[in-house]
Each structure stands twice: as C-alpha cells, then as structure tokens.
C-alpha cells in the first residue's frame, strides 16, 4: 500500500487537506489527484464549516509533473492516455472543490504553477505568502492550458489579460495577484499561519447555514456545469497537443534546465 499523497486533518470544525509530495514540490500526478478527491469527500462526511487547502514544504504545487509525462511516453498507453487521465482527474478535483458546501481557503505557502492554479481558482479565500507566485509555463513546453487557465481565469481578470499572461509566461507575484483579485490577502511567509487562523476564527463566528447558502448560490449548478464544459475543452485540446514530437523535445529540455 502506497503512502497517501494528500493528508486530511479535521479539528474544531475545520478540514485541512495538505498536498504531501514536498520532495517534488507537490507536483501533480494521478495518484495525488485521486488522494485529493478522497480528502475532499472525507471532509464532506464531517461537521465542518471550512476547508483549508495547502501544500507541504516550500511549494503549494508546481502543476503537472513533467517527469510523469516523460515516463508515460514509454508506456503502452502512451502520453495521450496519461494526459487524458491526469487532466481528467484535475478537472474532477476542481469541480469537487467548487461543489464543497462551505468556504474553501487556499493557503499558498509557495509557487503555484501549471494546472495547480485550478485548485486556487476553486477557492473562495486565497491567503498568499509574499514569496508565492503564479505562473503557467505552458508555452515553454508546448502544452495547451489546463486547470482553468482559460476556463476560469479569464472571467476573473479579463480575456486579453489572461491570454497575455500565458502567452508571455509572465509570473504573477503576490502583490499583483492581490491587485488582480486572485489573492484575498498577502502576508509575510512567517505570518501565513496566523492569517489562516484569523480567517478561520472570523468564519467560526458566522452562521453556518448562511455560509453554506452563499457558496451554494455563487457556485450553483449552472455555473459549475459551464465551468465543467470549459474544463473539458481544455482537456481535449491538451490531449491534441501533448503527443507532438516537439513537445517531447521541449519537456526534456525543461527537465534538464530544472
């Protein structure tokens, strides 16, 4: 039996799910995403009023593990089948978070790159360390955007800005994320836990049915269905592009640079 790649802690009405692959900067692989879906489902079984999502170590998550994509090139199913599986699981995890009945808090302790942004866009309150940043990297390796970079980000910051950020692979530092409305608060790295605790204590004083109603009405079925369709379009395009020879070349160069 393998070790869980997402841990879940439930205490005092708060569920905390931690991406727990710190030696790989919590890079996404199918097993981690399966564990994340399990953790969110487990949190729903308990009497909680908030879900905190964070990453172990120095990063929140660096998105899809390029090593996993490269390794899949040598498998019988190939990279196309691997892409179908991992992006499908990422989409499902994002939708699970959107369907969670109470506020979701993203605790961004470090970088958020690639498809991991979807886990942030599905949160309601984003508490960001000043050392954290957001960056897509798709144009560097030849992938199509996934994780909501087109399905969700454009509605938050505008279509042209969303395209420009991705086309130039521009890093969004914490202060800009705050200005764009992608972060709720930016604090020093050593103050992040305090910011999470303050936010939880504020939520604790609120009426739970009202908290739930606000989230349910904002992320209603109509909106989730529309997002699901756009995430599916991301997956289809990702799978179209990922098998090209130039992508394999760029992936190997990317890994060598890292």
């Amino acid at each position: 039996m393998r070790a869980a790649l997402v841990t879940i802690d439930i205490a005092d009405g708060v569920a905390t799910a931690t991406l727990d692959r710190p030696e790989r900067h919590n890079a996404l692989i199918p097993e981690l995403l399966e564990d994340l879906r399990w953790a969110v489902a487990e949190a729903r079984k308990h009497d909680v009023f908030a879900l905190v999502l964070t990453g172990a170590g120095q990063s929140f998550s660096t998105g899809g593990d390029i090593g996993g994509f490269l390794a899949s090139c040598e498998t019988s199913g190939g990279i196309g089948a691997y892409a179908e599986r991992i992006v499908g699981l990422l989409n499902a995890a994002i939708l699970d978070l959107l369907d969670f009945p109470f506020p979701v808090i993203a605790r961004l302790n470090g970088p958020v790159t690639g498809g991991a942004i979807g886990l942030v866009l599905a949160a309601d309150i984003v508490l960001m360390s000043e050392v954290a940043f957001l960056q897509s990297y798709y144009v560097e390796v030849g992938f199509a955007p996934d994780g909501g970079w087109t399905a969700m980000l454009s509605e938050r910051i505008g279509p042209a800005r969303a395209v420009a950020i991705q086309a130039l692979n521009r890093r969004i530092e914490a202060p800009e994320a705050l200005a764009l409305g992608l972060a709720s608060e930016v604090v020093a790295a050593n103050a992040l836990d305090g910011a999470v605790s303050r936010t939880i204590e504020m939520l604790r004083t609120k009426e739970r049915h009202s908290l739930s109603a606000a989230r349910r009405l904002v992320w209603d079925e109509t909106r989730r269905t529309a997002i699901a369709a756009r995430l599916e379009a991301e997956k289809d395009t990702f799978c179209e592009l990922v098998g090209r020879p130039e992508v394999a070349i760029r992936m190997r160069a990317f890994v060598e640079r890292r």
Side-chain angles (χ1 to χ4, degrees):
M1 181 180 294
R2 65 174 175 83
L5 297 178
V6 177
T7 62
I8 183 75
D9 177 72
I10 299 171
D12 298 326
V14 178
T16 301
T18 303
L19 310 182
D20 195 13
R21 201 179 175 227
E23 73 284 357
R24 296 290 295 173
H25 294 274
N26 304 314
L28 305 178
I29 56 175
E31 294 79 5
L32 184 146
L33 291 166
E34 288 171 345
D35 288 356
L36 176 56
R37 297 198 69 197
W38 168 84
V40 174
E42 192 67 19
R44 292 183 71 115
K45 298 176 184 177
H46 295 265
D47 183 23
V48 300
F49 62 85
L51 170 64
V52 178
L53 180 61
T54 191
Q58 297 180 333
S59 300
F60 178 80
S61 172
T62 51
D65 192 327
I66 301 300
F69 282 98
L70 283 171
S72 72
C73 295
E74 311 300 325
T75 65
S76 58
I79 193 169
Y82 182 82
E84 181 85 23
R85 182 185 178 204
I86 190 170
V87 180
L89 283 167
L90 174 59
N91 290 352
I94 293 168
L95 294 170
D96 287 346
L97 289 169
L98 292 180
D99 193 44
F100 195 76
F102 288 97
V104 175
I105 302 168
R107 175 189 178 275
L108 304 189
N109 51 307
V112 182
T113 63
I117 197 172
L119 308 179
V120 178
L121 294 173
D124 310 294
I125 300 169
V126 178
L127 305 176
M128 194 170 185
S129 164
E130 62 185 2
V131 303
F133 62 85
L134 313 173
Q135 195 164 7
S136 64
Y137 282 107
Y138 296 105
V139 293
E140 303 298 328
V141 292
F143 290 172
D146 67 343
W149 279 96
T150 66
M152 300 172 73
L153 182 65
S154 60
E155 291 187 357
R156 299 282 291 275
I157 66 174
R161 182 179 284 153
V163 171
I165 286 171
Q166 294 174 71
L168 300 172
N169 192 33
R170 188 164 64 77
R171 179 174 294 188
I172 305 174
E173 303 285 359
E176 184 180 5
L178 182 64
L180 289 173
L182 298 175
S184 308
E185 185 178 355
V186 172
V187 298
N190 62 4
L192 188 57
D193 286 335
V196 173
S197 295
R198 286 196 309 275
T199 301
I200 288 171
E201 290 312 306
M202 289 176 65
L203 291 175
R204 191 184 301 279
T205 66
K206 313 308 179 191
E207 209 283 323
R208 292 192 182 194
H209 289 86
S210 294
L211 288 176
S212 181
R215 189 159 215 271
R216 184 177 68 252
L217 291 167
V218 169
W219 298 113
D220 63 4
E221 185 175 357
T222 300
R223 178 167 289 176
R224 295 198 313 273
T225 299
I227 291 171
R230 299 186 71 180
L231 290 173
E232 185 71 12
E234 286 187 344
K235 178 171 71 70
D236 290 346
T237 308
F238 191 102
C239 291
E240 287 175 12
L241 297 189
V242 75
R244 296 172 300 139
E246 55 266 42
V247 173
I249 294 169
R250 282 182 171 271
M251 285 194 297
R252 291 189 181 95
F254 186 84
V255 170
E256 288 171 1
R257 288 197 303 270
R258 288 302 178 92

